[in-house]
Structures are given as structure tokens and as C-alpha cells.
Amino acid sequence: MPKNLECCFSKMASSSRHLSAQVFCREHPDTPLVEDYHAGDMICSVCGLVVGDRVIDVGSEWRTFSNEKNTKDNSRVGAAENPLFDGSDMSTMIATGTGSDSLRDEFGKPMYRNRRTMNSSDRALLTAFREIGQMADRLNLPKMLVDRANTLFKQVHESKALKGRSNDAIVSACMYIACRQEGVPRTLKEICAVSKISKKEIGRVFKLILKNLETNVDLITTGDFMSRFCSNLSLPPSVQKAATHIARRAVEMDLVPGRSPISVAAAAIYMASQASDDKKTAKEIGDIAGVAEVTIRQSYKSMIPKAAELFPKDFKFSTPIENLPPN
């Protein structure tokens, strides 16, 4: 290859502040170039001319410790940075002291201090964050909600306001609060189903967290659960729309005083389904909503006398109101 061949660069100004460089072979300008990633060279595929050297590889930084040359280690260079840990969980220190403060192995050499020797506070956080992630996976919740729950747990952990309480209970309560703050509330029974803590204990810790962190959550309504319950019951949109209208009207007319929004939503779904072609029993609805069958029937019994005023005007009845179950 002739030594007097040089690299050819053509720079075109795209704006007064931005310049873009285009590399091409002078002898074969339309020929695609081959990039040698190891050497950082751009080579003409026809004549072999090196038209660019020391090209920066902007791809992912893969590294491997395997003996196989073509093997890539997809774990990259370690875990992602976590700002909730001390040092963002990215620090590595070497003990250099000579006295009792030094950290050395059996041969007297300095040891690295990393995750395996992290302090008890970070270990508790790591365990809690892992549990929150597992609960979110079981409940099919997004990462945004996991981050909110992690932040809540760290605030509780650093305040030491709930010292002596089980970390599992605090994790469950933080998950419950995060769900409500992010607008995707879950019932306490749903949280209990993916944790090892009782409903009563989660409720108790939930109130303590709200009190000590001076935070608040929006009140849950019947509409917060309606779409999810109806979807899990495979009910059509017309029944869901009717159930939402029935629940809202029942609350406005004060037909179910003292009843929880979940119970009212379940009773409204029962009423709407019984009036349609897709009939569901109180037990089927209770299993999905986490409400006892007797509770659904009690709320339904309070609503049925005013059923004519609860249904939307455009609802198509498969079963007339007078033929609906009395309780």
C-alpha cells in the first residue's frame, strides 16, 4: 500500500455552532468503510486505505474475564448506581491503617471493603429493597412505584421512629403507601397476599409512618378499583360503566354509610352484573375484590331499594330491576 496516501476529511457546517465530520476514501468515495474496533481505524473496503484512525468507540463497554475471545460478559462493569446507599453503592475502600483499625486478611495484606463488608444499615436497606422489588413483581407494579417505596423505607429507616418494628411490616406499609400516592392503590388484603405480615399489623405501621413522616395519601374511592376488578372478572365495558355509575350514586345518596369503598365497589359490580348477560356471583366478586361474600350482600341490600335511581339511563337491562335478587 503506498505510504503517501493520506486521510481525507470533509467537514460541512450544519450551523454556526455545530460541525459534523464525514470520513471517506479519496479514491472510492462511495464505498462503505469497515471499522476495526480493536485498532480504532476506519478502512476502505476496496483498497484497504486507512482513512481514519483513533476512532472512538461509542458502543457499550463490555468486558469479559473469560478465556474465550468472542465471549461477552453481559453484566458489564457492576451494578447500577443506587443513590439510596452510602456512597451511592459505588465506593470501594482499602484499609491502610497499621493498628486495629486496619482491615487485613490472614496474610496481612489490605482487604477491599465492599458489599460483603458493608455496614448493618446498608445491609438492612439492601434486604428491604430486595423485598420491595419482589413484592412489586408479584403485584405487577412498575419500577417508578418501587423507587417511591424504596425512598419511603429509607426515610423511615433514617428517622428511627419505628425502631423495634419488623422491617417486613415497614416494607409492606411503604408499598401500600407508595401505591396510593402513585394513583394505583392496592387493598391491604392484596398487600398481605404477597407479604408475611397480617393486615392488622400493616394497618398499624401504615398509620405510624404517616404520623412520623408527616406525609399523607389521597382517600381511596370506588373508582380506584373498579376497572381492575371488572377486568379480572372479564366483564364488558358496559357493565363496568354501569357499576361505576351505581357506586358513585350510592355514595352521593348516602345509601351505604360507613362502608368501605371496596365493599361498595364490589356491591355495585354485583348489581350491574346481575342486570346484564354476564352475571357474577357474590363469591366470585368477593374472591377478586378481597371482600367477604356477606359484606357484599349487606351493601347490596342497602342499595337495591333505590336501584332504579342508581343505574345509568342508557343501560340495557338483560334482567329487569324488579327481577334482581333481593339480597
Side-chain angles (χ1 to χ4, degrees):
M1 183 183 300
K3 295 183 179 180
N4 58 351
L5 293 177
E6 300 178 352
C7 299
C8 299
F9 296 90
S10 177
K11 297 183 178 180
M12 298 177 293
S14 58
S15 64
S16 60
R17 293 186 177 182
H18 183 269
L19 295 176
S20 61
Q22 183 179 8
V23 183
F24 60 91
C25 177
R26 183 177 60 184
E27 301 296 333
H28 310 90
D30 298 327
T31 302
L33 303 179
V34 177
E35 184 173 357
D36 185 349
Y37 294 99
H38 293 284
D41 295 337
M42 298 292 290
I43 306 170
C44 176
S45 59
V46 175
C47 63
L49 174 67
V50 178
V51 298
D53 59 352
R54 299 177 184 175
V55 177
I56 298 176
D57 182 8
V58 296
S60 300
E61 182 190 354
W62 301 113
R63 43 185 313 205
T64 179
F65 299 99
S66 172
N67 292 328
E68 300 293 334
K69 293 182 179 180
N70 296 327
T71 303
K72 290 184 178 180
D73 183 5
N74 291 339
S75 63
R76 291 179 61 81
V77 292
E81 180 180 359
N82 191 338
L84 297 178
F85 289 108
D86 291 338
S88 297
D89 198 32
M90 298 291 286
S91 60
T92 301
M93 298 171 289
I94 302 177
T96 56
T98 57
S100 59
D101 293 337
S102 63
L103 185 64
R104 298 176 179 272
D105 60 14
E106 56 182 340
F107 301 106
K109 295 181 179 180
M111 292 177 60
Y112 287 95
R113 183 178 303 153
N114 51 24
R115 278 187 178 183
R116 290 176 294 181
T117 55
M118 63 170 48
N119 57 47
S120 59
S121 177
D122 277 357
R123 266 198 306 271
L125 288 176
L126 188 63
T127 303
F129 294 166
R130 187 183 300 115
E131 182 64 24
I132 288 173
Q134 291 173 355
M135 291 177 65
D137 286 341
R138 298 189 198 112
L139 291 170
N140 196 25
L141 296 173
K143 187 179 183 302
M144 174 183 64
L145 196 143
V146 174
D147 294 338
R148 172 64 68 91
N150 287 345
T151 303
L152 282 171
F153 183 88
K154 183 175 176 64
Q155 291 174 351
V156 174
H157 183 73
E158 290 181 341
S159 68
K160 301 186 184 300
L162 274 68
K163 195 173 183 179
R165 294 281 179 180
S166 166
N167 275 351
D168 290 335
I170 299 175
V171 163
S172 301
C174 288
M175 179 63 72
Y176 179 66
I177 294 173
C179 288
R180 290 182 59 172
Q181 289 182 341
E182 291 295 332
V184 285
R186 295 295 185 269
T187 65
L188 281 175
K189 285 191 176 182
E190 288 178 296
I191 300 295
C192 288
V194 296
S195 69
K196 299 170 283 188
I197 309 301
S198 67
K199 176 181 175 182
K200 182 181 293 186
E201 180 63 16
I202 296 176
R204 189 180 293 118
V205 175
F206 161 70
K207 293 178 182 178
L208 289 174
I209 292 176
L210 292 184
K211 179 180 178 182
N212 287 282
L213 295 186
E214 297 182 356
T215 186
N216 57 6
V217 293
D218 293 334
L219 294 175
I220 57 176
T221 64
T222 56
D224 292 330
F225 305 96
M226 195 66 72
S227 60
R228 187 155 51 87
F229 290 168
C230 290
S231 176
N232 292 338
L233 288 165
S234 301
L235 291 172
S238 59
V239 176
Q240 177 184 332
K241 180 182 177 182
T244 303
H245 188 275
I246 290 170
R248 185 175 65 250
R249 288 288 296 153
V251 173
E252 292 174 353
M253 297 171 64
D254 199 23
L255 299 179
V256 282
R259 296 289 180 184
S260 71
I262 303 172
S263 302
V264 177
I269 294 173
Y270 178 65
M271 180 180 290
S273 69
Q274 289 297 316
S276 70
D277 290 326
D278 300 276
K279 293 179 171 52
K280 300 293 180 182
T281 64
K283 185 179 185 307
E284 290 176 311
I285 298 171
D287 291 340
I288 295 296
V291 181
E293 182 179 353
V294 64
T295 303
I296 296 177
R297 293 190 179 278
Q298 287 173 352
S299 298
Y300 174 79
K301 188 176 181 179
S302 302
M303 297 161 56
I304 192 63
K306 299 287 185 179
E309 302 177 39
L310 298 178
F311 278 92
K313 295 180 179 179
D314 58 348
F315 183 75
K316 296 180 180 179
F317 288 91
S318 174
T319 302
I321 291 179
E322 55 272 14
N323 293 337
L324 292 177
N327 53 44

